[in-house]
Amino acid sequence: MDFVRRLALFQEEILQERRDALLNTRLGPPSSPLTGFVFAEAASKVFKAMEDSEWHRQA
């Protein structure tokens, strides 16, 4: 999954609402292998959970 593309699909209002969830996603130390990938996966899971809980927005 391309994390940046996924973020680009969100409307600005929704992205602003989810900003705190993204900022609260932990980023490992630079010396850890695949730190960016691990972060993107974790943030995607948080966003997906929020998306699933907002099914009412999809109309």
Side-chain angles (χ1 to χ4, degrees):
M1 168 182 340
D2 184 354
F3 183 63
V4 174
R5 257 189 225 154
R6 184 175 173 102
L7 285 178
L9 294 176
F10 286 105
Q11 295 174 6
E12 178 69 21
E13 175 186 338
I14 293 172
L15 199 53
Q16 289 295 331
E17 290 173 4
R18 297 178 184 187
R19 175 181 55 198
D20 288 338
L22 179 61
L23 292 175
N24 288 331
T25 303
R26 304 210 79 172
L27 181 61
S31 60
S32 298
L34 302 174
T35 298
F37 177 78
V38 171
F39 170 78
E41 283 293 310
S44 291
K45 287 178 184 176
V46 170
F47 271 58
K48 178 66 175 149
M50 293 178 83
E51 186 176 68
D52 290 347
S53 71
E54 295 174 355
W55 61 269
H56 62 277
R57 285 188 187 221
Q58 300 170 3

